[in-house]
Amino acid sequence: REVRMMKSTEELINEIKQSRNILDFLERNHEELKLKKLPEYLDEWLKVKNTTRARIVDRSGLNKAYVYQIFQGKKYPSRDKIICLTFGFEMTVEETQTLLKQAGYQELYPRDPRDALLLFAIEKKMNILDANFLLYDHNELVLE
């Protein structure tokens, strides 16, 4: 089972431009326009990745209590914490970008040196520790 990729902002803008009637656009894209809460997205990703919160904790490098609070909606993580979670989920680059958007954060941007290193680490399926070594070796802030 795969999480449906969200349409890009550009795709939605093009659809609006081409729509004769805004109601048709809204009807066609009602799923795109509904924003869920982060815990709902994370629960969906648990199913898609067939994994557990405990495994996410082990692979993300984050504190167990903190991760559980994120899943319960009691804490809202920073962009870096979301990226840590993507390592926990062992996400692809595309899945990482999707989760960042779902959480309301900017996608990893390849023109930013730190983001480029993270994209490389994700693409090469590095674990969080190796990704942090890569960041550290290039004088970039590590994920915490």
Side-chain angles (χ1 to χ4, degrees):
R1 195 174 137 205
E2 192 172 320
V3 168
R4 184 180 56 80
M5 298 295 278
M6 294 170 52
K7 290 181 184 177
S8 71
T9 302
E10 186 176 320
E11 288 172 304
L12 290 172
I13 289 172
N14 284 334
E15 283 189 41
I16 289 170
K17 287 178 180 178
Q18 294 171 7
S19 290
R20 293 176 184 250
N21 181 332
I22 192 63
L23 296 177
D24 292 338
F25 167 81
L26 294 172
E27 178 64 29
R28 270 195 324 273
N29 292 289
H30 75 278
E31 288 297 317
E32 294 287 332
L33 305 176
K34 269 198 245 174
L35 294 178
K36 297 178 186 174
K37 298 204 180 300
L38 183 60
E40 292 176 74
Y41 287 122
L42 294 175
D43 285 339
E44 287 178 6
W45 281 109
L46 283 176
K47 292 175 191 151
V48 168
K49 291 297 195 171
N50 192 28
T51 193
T52 63
R53 292 178 184 185
R55 291 191 68 195
I56 300 303
V57 168
D58 289 342
R59 294 187 301 233
S60 70
L62 296 172
N63 174 280
K64 179 181 177 178
Y66 184 72
V67 171
Y68 278 79
Q69 288 175 329
I70 294 169
F71 273 89
Q72 293 166 355
K74 294 178 180 175
K75 296 280 185 188
Y76 204 87
S78 66
R79 182 175 184 260
D80 273 8
K81 299 281 194 265
I82 293 290
I83 295 168
C84 290
L85 289 174
T86 70
F87 279 95
F89 278 105
E90 296 181 318
M91 290 182 159
T92 64
V93 167
E94 293 77 19
E95 291 167 339
T96 297
Q97 301 291 46
T98 297
L99 183 56
L100 282 166
K101 285 190 283 188
Q102 289 172 333
Y105 290 111
Q106 180 181 338
E107 296 176 44
L108 292 169
Y109 184 55
R111 292 184 190 274
D112 178 273
R114 183 173 185 262
D115 283 3
L117 290 166
L118 288 166
L119 286 165
F120 179 83
I122 294 163
E123 182 63 35
K124 300 301 179 191
K125 301 185 183 330
M126 291 181 180
N127 62 38
I128 190 87
L129 191 59
D130 290 337
N132 273 334
F133 281 131
L134 181 66
L135 291 169
Y136 182 82
D137 287 345
H138 289 87
N139 298 314
E140 295 291 344
L141 291 174
V142 298
L143 296 167
E144 301 188 81

